[in-house]
Amino acid sequence: MGSDDHVRTREERLDGVLEAFHSCRLDGLAPTRDALRDAQDYIDGLRSLEEILEEVRRRHTRNPDQEQS
């Protein structure tokens, strides 16, 4: 990490998640069960945002090899 990097506190992570979910609800959307679990892991510091984004990408990217059944 560089000297300008800031490690977010649990409270900052919680505030960020609440703000994001509020924005979704204003758009008529609701978080999925997976999104809620991911958010809780992020808030608790169990997984980084980068790790969560990579998992979300894998969950929502089709694998052509798996579709050939």
Side-chain angles (χ1 to χ4, degrees), residues 17-28:
V17 167
L18 291 175
E19 185 176 325
F21 283 171
H22 179 70
S23 294
C24 288
R25 287 188 176 99
L26 289 176
D27 289 337

Side-chain angles (χ1 to χ4, degrees), residues 1-63:
M1 278 193 215
S3 60
D4 293 335
D5 290 337
H6 171 72
V7 176
R8 294 183 184 270
T9 65
R10 184 180 192 287
E11 290 76 23
E12 290 171 322
R13 292 189 303 264
L14 175 60
D15 288 345
V17 167
L18 291 175
E19 185 176 325
F21 283 171
H22 179 70
S23 294
C24 288
R25 287 188 176 99
L26 289 176
D27 289 337
L29 305 171
T32 63
R33 191 173 344 151
D34 286 337
L36 293 170
R37 185 202 70 227
D38 293 340
Q40 191 64 55
D41 285 356
Y42 173 67
I43 291 166
D44 291 340
L46 299 176
R47 294 189 292 155
S48 70
L49 191 55
E50 291 79 16
E51 291 169 323
I52 292 169
L53 291 174
E54 179 61 26
E55 183 180 323
V56 169
R57 185 192 63 75
R58 281 194 308 266
R59 278 196 306 245
H60 295 283
T61 302
R62 291 185 177 159
N63 184 342

